[in-house]
Amino acid sequence: MLITRKAEFSASHICRNPRLSEAENRALFGAAANPHGHGHNYVLEVTVEGTPDPVTGMVLDLKALKDTLNREVVEIYDHRFLNREVAPFDHVIPTPENIAIDIWNRLQPHLSGPRGRLHGVRIYETPDLYVDYFGDAA
Ligand code: NI
């Protein structure tokens, strides 16, 4: 069974690769390469996999899951300039793909028990665009 909790945060970023020229960055990333950065209201959906406990009827403690998302992701990402304030984005381009990977890496150690194993991370950068990441296997 899969169970999903949603969280939201706002952050700004620049999408550019310092190894590429200005023209190449503009061609690849468009306005997102602007060095002043720009913001998004990100929506995160974290899906956990497990079997309901026969005693509690729950896959995992949903309050604990909410606390984990807040502590490990929202408090770190919210209202931050990702390239400057959130490792590893000083050297990894904060595309939604890389943000999904970073969030997975932050959550996975906390969601690996026999009940409530991390299944997937979905991150919406805009209402029209999202990335799914299911760990190394995907
Ligand atoms: Ni952007």
Side-chain angles (χ1 to χ4, degrees), residues 13 15 32 38 40 42 125:
H13 70 167
C15 288
H38 61 276
H40 294 285
Y42 291 92
E125 188 176 79

Side-chain angles (χ1 to χ4, degrees), residues 14 35-36 81-86 89-90:
I14 305 167
H36 297 296
F81 199 134
L82 299 180
N83 306 66
R84 294 175 191 160
E85 297 182 276
V86 179
F89 301 120
D90 57 330

